[in-house]
Amino acid sequence: MTAHRADDATDAGIDLVVDGAAVTVPDDGSSLLAVLRERLGLAAVKDGCSPQGQCGCCTVLVDGAPRVACVTPVRRVAGRVITTVDGLGADDRERWAEAFLAMGASQCGFCTPGIVCRLEGLRAKSAHSAVERDSLDRALAAHLCRCTGWQTIVEAWGVAVSGASAAEAELGHERDLVAAAQRAELEGGEPQRVGADVALGRGGFADDEAPADALVAVPDGVGGWALAETLTEARTVAGKVQGRRGTREAVAPLETPAGVWALTLRTSWVEPGYLETDASWCRPGGEPASPLANGGAFGAKRNSPAAAAARRLADQHGRTVRVLLSREDCVRMGPKRPPVAAGIRADGTGVMRVARTEGIAEAIRSVAPGLVVEQVDVAGPPTSVDLRAAGWAEAAVLLAALEARGVSGGGSREVRVTSPGGACAEVSIGDDDTIRVRLECGEILDPVVLRSYVIGAAHMGLGWVTSEGLAVDGGGEVGDLTIRSFGILRAADMPHVEVDLVASDHEPVNGSDAVFAAVAAASWVVRDCPPQWPVRG
C-alpha cells in the first residue's frame, strides 16, 4: 500500500512464498500483516484491530493452517507458504464466494476473507470427516462478525462443503442483485454492493484503494495528525500504544428518575463495534474517498473525521494523503450509543433520562410520546443519534415489555415493535432459546439479504441486553480498548433464529432496526426485566 523505504535493500531478507509467488522482504521486525498489506499491497488481508490479534480479519493460511497475521512476526514464518483468500485455488474461491452470497453470509464483507481462510483450512484438514457444530464454533471463535449474527456463515459452510452449487441448492432461481443491493442499502443506511466477490473482501473499502505513494496520517492523540511515509512510521511518530481491556465493569452512569414505576431500565455506553476502522484518502484538490464504501457501520461513520482530514492534509502537503484510524482511535473518538435511565408507568407515561445527544429527544418521542425526556451532561465518550435506532429502540423496548408482561393488558412472552418507519417485528423466544422473528417491512426485494440483516439484528439485540457495554471511568475515559472487550457475542453464544418474512406490496422500509429493538425487548422479558443492562449471567 505505502511506498517502500529507500533503505530496504540494505536490510537482511526473509524469503516467503505468497499466493504462489516467491518474495523476499526485509527482516525489519514487521508483522506478517504489515508485509502482506502494506508492503505487498494484498488488500484482501484486512486490518480490523491490529495489533490486538482479536478480530480475525487478517487470517491467512501458513502452510495450510490458519494464522492471525497481525500478531505473527514475519521472521517467524520465514521460508513458509502464505496463502491469502486471493491465493486459494479458483474452484475453492468460487465455492466459498457462491456459498456466502447464496446464504447472505456476507454483508459489508470486511471480516469474511479471514473467515473464508479459516473455513478453508478447516475443510482441508477435516477432508472427508464430518465437522460437528462445536468444532465449527471453535474455529469461528478466533473471529468477530458484527453484521450477520453467525448463523448464515454456518449455513454457508454447509453449502460449501456439500459440493453442490450454492445458487442451485439454496436458491433455485436467478436473483436480482440490484434489488438485493436496494434492500441492503435500506437496512444498512448507506449504498452497498451485493455480489460473490464481496465475501472475498472486494467491497471497495477506502483503505484498500489508497495509492501506494500516499503519505500516511494517523491521530496523534492530542487532536492533530501524525504523518509519515508508512503506517508503521506514522504510528511511531504518534506514539501509539496498544490498547488493552480495562478491569472495570460497564456501569450505567445515570440514576433512575424518582417515581413509582412499572418498569425501570438503565444502560451504559455501547460501542457500535464495526470492524473496518475509519479510513479515507485524497489527492490535492480532489474529493476524499468515503469511509462508507460498502456499508453504514450502523450509523457510526456518518460523521467520521477521516474524509475531511484527508482533504485538508492533502491540500496542505501537496501530496495524496491516506488517513487511517486504529482500533483504539475508533474507540476513543467514535460515537457510542448514549446511556439512558428510564422509568415507565403502566399507562406508557414516564421519564427517560439520557446522555445529552443532538436529536435524541425527537427519536424517543417518535415511538413514546408519553415519555418526558431529560437530557443530562455526563462525562464520557461522544454519543450520536445516528447509531442504530438510538433512543427510539430504548423507548420501544420499555413499551413492548409493558405489554408482554401484562402490565398494560398483554400477558404474552411475544413482543411486538413497530419502528418509526412503519416496519413491524414480532419476536418470541422459546424454552430452547430459539429466537422466532416475524417481520413485515414492505416489499421484500431480496429474501436472502433481508433474512441476513434480520439475523444480524437479532444477534446485536441479544448482545445489547446480555453482554455489551463499555467501561468508562469517572473522568469519562473509555477503559475498554480491545475489540473483544465490547461484549459482542461469539458464534457459540448465538441461539438459532427462525425468520418469517411477510410479503407485502407496500413501499419497502428498513426492517432490521425493528427486529433489533424487538429481540432486545424479548430477551429482556424472558429474563424478567432486570433494571440494568448488560444482564450478567
Side-chain angles (χ1 to χ4, degrees):
M1 296 283 297
T2 53
H4 296 188
R5 295 185 306 161
D7 62 348
D8 282 348
T10 65
D11 294 335
I14 293 177
D15 295 329
L16 305 168
V17 176
V18 178
D19 290 346
V23 299
T24 300
V25 298
D27 185 7
D28 58 2
S30 294
S31 70
L32 179 57
L33 172 60
V35 166
L36 295 175
R37 187 171 175 85
E38 301 296 319
R39 185 168 296 279
L40 302 180
L42 300 177
V45 186
K46 307 302 184 189
D47 181 357
C49 71
S50 174
Q52 296 177 3
Q54 295 189 358
C55 73
C57 295
C58 65
T59 299
V60 296
L61 299 175
V62 178
D63 290 344
R67 182 171 293 195
V68 179
C70 73
V71 291
T72 300
V74 71
R75 61 171 59 108
R76 190 177 297 171
V77 294
R80 312 280 286 276
V81 175
I82 314 301
T83 307
T84 74
V85 71
D86 285 340
L88 298 177
D91 290 345
D92 292 332
R93 277 201 314 275
E94 184 178 0
R95 174 190 298 115
W96 289 110
E98 278 194 2
F100 271 62
L101 174 63
M103 301 314 300
S106 180
Q107 289 180 19
C108 76
F110 193 82
C111 69
T112 45
I115 290 175
V116 166
C117 284
R118 177 78 57 178
L119 296 182
E120 175 59 19
L122 180 62
R123 186 186 72 86
K125 178 181 177 181
S126 59
H128 300 294
S129 302
V131 175
E132 300 296 331
R133 173 59 192 267
D134 60 346
S135 297
L136 193 56
D137 284 343
R138 283 196 298 273
L140 292 173
H143 296 265
L144 283 179
C145 177
R146 188 51 154 166
C147 296
T148 67
W150 298 111
Q151 183 171 312
T152 52
I153 292 174
V154 173
E155 292 166 349
W157 159 269
V159 171
V161 301
S162 71
S165 163
E168 293 175 1
E170 302 301 327
L171 299 178
H173 61 84
E174 191 75 19
R175 286 175 70 184
D176 181 350
L177 296 185
V178 173
Q182 183 183 351
R183 173 51 72 181
E185 181 173 351
L186 282 169
E187 301 306 321
E190 299 291 339
Q192 188 167 329
R193 289 183 54 244
V194 176
D197 62 339
V198 171
L200 302 178
R202 301 170 187 167
F205 300 106
D207 198 50
D208 291 352
E209 300 180 354
D213 61 350
L215 275 173
V216 183
V218 302
D220 64 5
V222 291
W225 300 88
L227 280 82
E229 294 293 335
T230 72
L231 177 59
T232 298
E233 291 166 353
R235 286 178 171 171
T236 299
V237 171
K240 179 184 181 297
V241 176
Q242 181 173 340
R244 302 194 180 278
R245 181 170 190 160
T247 58
R248 299 165 55 97
E249 289 290 325
V251 175
L254 301 177
E255 294 299 324
T256 305
V260 179
W261 310 114
L263 286 173
T264 62
L265 174 63
R266 299 171 68 212
T267 67
S268 66
W269 288 273
V270 177
E271 165 65 39
Y274 54 90
L275 288 182
E276 184 211 9
T277 59
D278 298 39
S280 182
W281 61 273
C282 190
R283 294 186 174 92
E287 288 296 319
S290 172
L292 295 164
N294 199 45
F298 313 103
K301 290 185 185 177
R302 196 156 292 158
N303 293 298
S304 170
R311 185 204 300 267
R312 179 174 58 80
L313 292 170
D315 290 343
Q316 178 181 339
H317 292 273
R319 283 184 59 182
T320 301
V321 174
R322 168 191 174 205
V323 170
L324 183 63
L325 273 60
S326 69
R327 177 54 54 189
E328 295 89 347
D329 295 328
C330 290
V331 177
R332 292 189 178 104
M333 300 168 63
K336 315 295 176 235
R337 189 174 201 89
V340 306
I344 192 168
R345 305 180 185 91
D347 63 358
T349 63
V351 177
M352 180 171 286
R353 190 168 288 161
V354 59
R356 190 174 305 280
T357 305
E358 184 178 356
I360 198 73
E362 293 80 2
I364 293 167
R365 294 184 187 119
S366 69
V367 298
L371 290 181
V372 174
V373 180
E374 295 181 355
Q375 297 201 56
V376 179
D377 292 314
V378 55
T383 59
S384 175
V385 75
D386 289 335
L387 299 188
R388 170 174 254 170
W392 75 256
E394 287 83 345
V397 164
L398 287 164
L399 293 173
L402 274 181
E403 182 177 1
R405 281 167 59 94
V407 177
S408 60
S412 169
R413 284 163 62 95
E414 181 177 88
V415 304
R416 177 188 177 101
V417 167
T418 299
S419 72
C424 180
E426 298 174 359
V427 173
S428 64
I429 299 178
D431 293 336
D432 61 353
D433 293 331
T434 296
I435 299 173
R436 296 176 175 84
V437 180
R438 186 176 186 272
L439 173 65
E440 184 172 359
C441 58
E443 186 182 357
I444 291 172
L445 296 174
D446 184 85
V448 175
V449 166
L450 183 53
R451 178 177 180 268
S452 176
Y453 272 91
V454 166
I455 295 171
H459 173 260
M460 188 179 285
L462 176 61
W464 184 27
V465 174
T466 61
S467 61
E468 294 192 36
L470 284 178
V472 178
D473 67 20
E477 293 294 319
V478 180
D480 289 331
L481 296 176
T482 66
I483 200 164
R484 290 282 176 177
S485 63
F486 305 157
I488 298 171
L489 294 174
R490 304 168 303 165
D493 302 323
M494 188 62 195
H496 185 70
V497 182
E498 294 181 0
V499 181
D500 178 16
L501 302 176
V502 180
S504 170
D505 292 331
H506 295 150
E507 187 76 14
V509 297
N510 174 289
S512 55
D513 288 0
V515 173
F516 166 69
V519 170
S523 302
W524 194 38
V525 167
V526 299
R527 289 166 175 79
D528 203 27
C529 297
Q532 183 167 315
W533 293 358
V535 180
R536 304 296 184 185

